[in-house]
Amino acid sequence: MLYVANLTIIDADLNAQFRPAHLEYLDKLFKENKVVMAGPFADKKGGMVIYRADSAEEAKALAEADPVVVEGARTLELREWNALQFPLS
């Protein structure tokens, strides 16, 4: 199952401080096949991570362990995502 994390920056200084740890964390999870893709929004107000997890509980644990969430630099909104497979027919 796929889960989308919307990570909105609420403290720019904390975000700058913990962004390297955030990127290292996501890279580690990508190598473990737990992150599908991630990146910042063009408006620089936050970013998105797409997690691959076996359950909502696992996805929540992965997302809540992100250093920018742990340290209070960003809020977390996590939702299960039913991605479409193309072609639709």
Side-chain angles (χ1 to χ4, degrees):
M1 293 178 276
L2 298 176
Y3 298 84
V4 175
N6 182 12
L7 300 168
T8 302
I9 297 170
I10 54 173
D11 187 316
D13 292 334
L14 277 178
N15 186 66
Q17 181 181 350
F18 290 100
R19 187 170 184 269
H22 162 70
L23 295 176
E24 287 176 21
Y25 179 70
L26 295 180
D27 185 57
K28 173 184 165 288
L29 293 180
F30 178 80
K31 290 173 181 170
E32 295 173 2
N33 202 33
K34 292 296 181 183
V35 166
V36 176
M37 64 176 51
F41 294 122
D43 65 8
K44 300 182 182 182
K45 294 181 180 179
M48 184 175 76
V49 179
I50 300 175
Y51 291 98
R52 180 180 290 112
D54 293 327
S55 67
E57 293 78 18
E58 179 188 10
K60 184 176 185 228
L62 292 170
E64 288 180 343
D66 187 323
V68 293
V69 175
V70 170
E71 299 299 334
R74 300 186 190 196
T75 61
L76 168 65
E77 177 189 3
L78 185 67
R79 300 174 74 179
E80 186 173 353
W81 185 39
N82 295 321
L84 295 177
Q85 300 294 316
F86 291 95
L88 293 176
S89 55

